Amino acid sequence: MEVSLAEWLAGLERCDLETLLRRRPEARSLLGTKRCDLPALAEAISRPEAVMAAAESLDGFLLNLLHAALLLNPDASASSLSALAPGVDPQELAAGAEELSRWGLVFVIPNHVPGTGPTGLVGPQGNGSAAVRRATGGGSRSAIRGALNTGTSCNWSLYVPACVANVVSRPPGMGPPVRRALATHSPALLAGIAANLGLAAPRPSKGAGLVAEIAAALVDPDRVAGLLADAPSGSREIVGMAREVGGVLRWDELVGGGLVRWHQSHWTGQGAALSPLEWLESRGLLVTQSGTIFDGTPVAVPAEVEIALRGGRMFESWPPAQPPRVAAARASGPRAKTVAAAALAAQPVVGDPGKSVADLEALLDLWAQTESPSLQKGGLGVRELRRAAKAISLPEGYVAFLYALAVESRLLAHDDRRRVVPSPAAAAWAAKPPALRWAELFETYLGGMLWAETLGGLVDIDKVEHRAYLVRLRRSLLSELAALPTGATTDVDLLGRRLLWRHPLLIHCEDCARTLTSQVAQALGWLGTLAVAPLMSLLEPARSAVAGPGWTDRVGPATAAFAPAVSEITVGADLSIIVLGPPVPALGAALARFADLQASSPARMYRLSEASLRRALDAGMKGSQITEVLVAHAPRGVPQNVAYLIDEVANRHGHLVVGQAGLYVRSHDPALLAGVIADRRLTSFVPRLVAPTVALLDGGDPAKALAALRSAGYLPVAEAGGAALTASKAPAVSPILVRPTRSGPAGTSWADLAPNEAEALAEALAHGSRGPAAAAREGPVPKMTQPRPAAVAMAGATGRAPAGDEPQGPTCTNPDDVRRLLEWAANEEAVVEIAYVTSRGRTSMRKVEPYAVLGARLYATCHLTGAELAIQLARVASARATGDAVDDEEDEDEDLILLLTPLPSR
């Protein structure tokens, strides 16, 4: 009797199912769908990308166990697994088997009977709805746990479903197993191999049983060693060459090595084996696929042969024990322990997270003033970042890191002139408490892709992509640091080994792990939450952020890490303004208007200049207002020369007025205007008097005239009400990085289920529907207005409201809310108006009827034309449920694809 993956999931105990839901983020896709049952969960977790993500999350011990089960599949009994892992406690294997089942990667079968193991794959397109034959004892978790607790070698076995076996690669240095390598061989060939191996004369019809006998013979170290000892010349060289490259060898590599001829014949099972290659094939020591030089891997050493050559061990090391985490544990001797204790005592507990917040504020103020030009592909170039670093005396790498966070947090944007300026969101961010501002930056870093440690830091805008593996590694390192006791330390070597053990599929070697660890540690140090010298320890507020959300609302060591805002300043005679801490919002906003920030930490230092004062006067401030701000916040008073500079600049300001009638300059002071006419630095404008107080200039750009006059030492202003100088509204901005910021509650990734969400989803899965708790939590969108009762009554049996009575609500801009709204609309067949950003940076509006949200795309029908569309979710800036009609518009972006063939039926 065959049992589907969904039925095996039904056999899990409730706590194990909730663990699986929390570990497999693809389970979140069930929250916004009508189909919320175990078959849907089985389909979601069996997709190739989901299986690979789960395998990449396995530690070294579990990955070894999975590879061993893949080799022995479908009859991976406990005794067979123990034979491949000499020296490993059977109880450790049993616990690892149960842990793998909680990942949904294997099935643990109690009371397994050899020969009745699960086989086959059912389901559309092999999507992983694996079917297995029911083993004796059933599939309930209680029966499985009872089998594991007995500790006997024959009480349980593992089965790896096809959805996993087809995705997880072979272990390094291993070729395909015999059962797969010889699957296409005829019974006659199999019988010939068995005879050459010295097995009892088999019947050709034995099929799979004969392959199993051959596999059992080839895994025997003594038998394989004896065969190779008697092998003809050249045979051992072929095997050695294949092992050097990982167990598989291309045909052209064999030919290039001079080991075989170009048209080498293969063993056919008839006659004696003449060449070394034929001799190896005739004994199953080498398997050659039919093909030519164009085939990728036609020659392979079976995995069983490799295990025999390793002395019967599948892996040289099988690490059930975790590497040490605490650096102080390596100390020995009284003096070493004393030094270690002193180092622990010297470690701070609270970091300086406010520095990164202050430095980013300084950069935003700088970019607001300079309006740095954008690269053609978007964002700032290396030269502009270097200028910013030099302007406020910060390291270039640190500035690039803060720039990446600002872009991914959408604090920076492109204006209509393709210049990089702070976005409207930057003002809202600056108004939040420091702890909330830092928390947003922290989560942005953990899920961000513009800063990639594996690529050396800042990534080009046009090369940004979601690297889920990098997010997983960052969070793993953070969890390792958070697991250290308060005050305990570690170092790069220990942490790198821990990372390599936790994610062997993601980390190539110890050097790579050390490099990544040091780069992540540098980023956490920049965020002010990691002590990096001489040893590393995680500081507040990161410890509280990892522990769970809500830490910003509680009084504790995390919030105490942020210095309180100050309202006092010190004004120096050298035109400097010093603020010993983060200024209160009103003071910070005022200083940003009339002073230039030169340093942001440990104290903020501003500098007054004629240019900074002129900037404030141009923006509408008066000289008296600037003086009042300084006097109100400087308890030691304002030096006389500072007050004189403010009055002098204010008195000179505005005596020249530039306008466009053509282009003119006027002044109430004829002598001043006569000086402008005679100024040789302005001869390119050919100034000429038309009246004692008015002069005409050549050209049509008032901004150039203003810049030239200011460069000559004048303080002109633009004509009030000038059409070319006064904007009627704030300039439009567009995001620099057109992809949603993947962030979530502190301590979780953007797609992870929180414990309460996993509990609600498990309840829904148990009942085959969303369930009341999940349905209440999965409302279409916050504050959405439901249809009128009359409209619901008119909907009748179809459940569809009449036109114009669809649920309506506010515009959603948060990526998570947008996705949730689109998923709801797909289920309820509702019309949604979306705004998406084109590749030209324009925002286009369109009304669509969503019918699927899969991966990174929305699949919908155009409400007006009926065309089938596939839209990248990364470009959807907002969405709103509505029933209004829309006008047709031309597609102008390659990311809004008109489907020539319809998607799978809705």
Side-chain angles (χ1 to χ4, degrees), residues 358-359 362 391-394 577 579 596-606:
D359 291 341
I392 56 177
S393 302
L394 293 176
I577 301 175
V579 187
D596 294 324
L597 182 64
Q598 293 190 326
S600 57
S601 61
R604 294 197 181 192
M605 187 176 74
Y606 296 83

Side-chain angles (χ1 to χ4, degrees), residues 688-742:
R688 51 202 179 276
L689 284 173
V690 294
T693 57
V694 180
L696 293 181
L697 305 177
D698 282 355
D701 188 354
K704 289 184 178 180
L706 286 168
L709 287 167
R710 287 166 181 165
S711 298
Y714 302 97
L715 296 177
V717 296
E719 183 71 81
L725 301 177
T726 304
S728 59
K729 60 180 181 180
V733 296
S734 60
I736 296 176
L737 186 63
V738 285
R739 58 175 291 275
T741 301
R742 296 176 179 266

Side-chain angles (χ1 to χ4, degrees), residues 169-192:
S169 60
R170 298 185 300 270
M174 290 281 181
V178 167
R179 73 176 188 282
R180 185 178 302 173
L182 302 181
T184 59
H185 282 47
S186 66
L189 280 177
L190 294 176

Side-chain angles (χ1 to χ4, degrees), residues 449-450 459-467 737 739:
M449 292 295 105
L450 189 56
V459 181
D460 293 339
I461 289 292
D462 57 344
K463 296 180 181 178
V464 171
E465 61 184 38
H466 181 59
R467 297 176 175 85
L737 186 63
R739 58 175 291 275

Side-chain angles (χ1 to χ4, degrees), residues 622-792:
K622 298 180 180 179
S624 59
Q625 293 175 326
I626 298 175
T627 304
E628 289 173 1
V629 170
L630 296 178
V631 171
H633 294 280
R636 294 185 178 86
V638 178
Q640 185 176 6
N641 65 317
V642 175
Y644 176 80
L645 175 65
I646 296 173
D647 293 339
E648 192 266 340
V649 172
N651 291 333
R652 292 170 52 206
H653 182 266
H655 288 280
L656 290 177
V657 181
V658 177
Q660 186 172 10
L663 187 63
Y664 65 86
V665 57
R666 64 179 178 84
S667 175
H668 295 296
D669 185 353
L672 178 60
L673 193 58
V676 170
I677 299 297
D679 197 324
R680 300 180 62 180
R681 293 169 293 183
L682 302 173
T683 54
S684 61
F685 288 92
V686 192
R688 51 202 179 276
L689 284 173
V690 294
T693 57
V694 180
L696 293 181
L697 305 177
D698 282 355
D701 188 354
K704 289 184 178 180
L706 286 168
L709 287 167
R710 287 166 181 165
S711 298
Y714 302 97
L715 296 177
V717 296
E719 183 71 81
L725 301 177
T726 304
S728 59
K729 60 180 181 180
V733 296
S734 60
I736 296 176
L737 186 63
V738 285
R739 58 175 291 275
T741 301
R742 296 176 179 266
S743 61
T748 64
S749 68
W750 73 277
D752 285 341
L753 287 176
N756 60 329
E757 291 179 313
E759 181 180 358
L761 182 55
E763 176 70 21
L765 292 170
H767 293 85
S769 64
R770 287 181 295 173
R777 181 173 43 79
E778 296 166 20
V781 72
K783 301 182 180 179
M784 177 167 287
T785 304
Q786 297 298 327
R788 301 191 309 270
V792 175

Side-chain angles (χ1 to χ4, degrees), residues 231-265:
S233 176
S235 300
R236 287 184 294 272
E237 287 76 5
I238 293 177
V239 173
M241 184 176 182
R243 294 184 66 197
E244 287 179 1
V245 295
V248 290
L249 194 63
R250 295 198 311 270
W251 186 258
D252 59 317
E253 291 176 330
L254 274 174
V255 174
L259 298 177
V260 298
R261 299 190 305 273
W262 183 264
H263 297 291
Q264 175 71 56
S265 61

Side-chain angles (χ1 to χ4, degrees), residues 515-600:
T515 301
L516 178 65
T517 300
S518 62
Q519 291 177 342
V520 172
Q522 183 184 48
L524 293 175
W526 281 336
L527 288 170
T529 189
L530 185 74
V532 294
L535 299 172
M536 293 189 298
S537 63
L538 193 64
L539 310 176
E540 292 289 358
R543 282 187 171 273
S544 297
V546 173
W551 64 272
T552 56
D553 302 326
R554 298 189 297 266
V555 177
T559 52
F562 298 89
V566 298
S567 59
E568 292 186 356
I569 61 176
T570 300
V571 183
D574 58 351
L575 305 182
S576 65
I577 301 175
I578 299 176
V579 187
L580 299 177
V584 295
L587 176 60
L591 291 175
R593 296 182 68 183
F594 60 77
D596 294 324
L597 182 64
Q598 293 190 326
S600 57

Side-chain angles (χ1 to χ4, degrees), residues 447-528:
M449 292 295 105
L450 189 56
W451 183 268
E453 289 84 356
T454 54
L455 299 179
L458 189 63
V459 181
D460 293 339
I461 289 292
D462 57 344
K463 296 180 181 178
V464 171
E465 61 184 38
H466 181 59
R467 297 176 175 85
Y469 72 91
L470 189 54
V471 176
R472 194 175 301 117
L473 291 175
R474 287 175 185 154
R475 294 189 179 276
S476 292
L477 282 171
L478 189 64
S479 65
E480 287 291 331
L481 289 166
L484 291 171
T486 302
T489 61
T490 186
D491 57 31
V492 171
D493 292 337
L494 287 177
L495 204 55
R497 286 199 290 271
R498 291 278 304 182
L499 188 66
L500 181 60
W501 180 83
R502 287 187 61 167
H503 300 284
L505 283 182
L506 296 179
I507 305 294
H508 180 264
C509 60
E510 285 194 16
D511 288 340
C512 298
R514 264 194 306 270
T515 301
L516 178 65
T517 300
S518 62
Q519 291 177 342
V520 172
Q522 183 184 48
L524 293 175
W526 281 336
L527 288 170

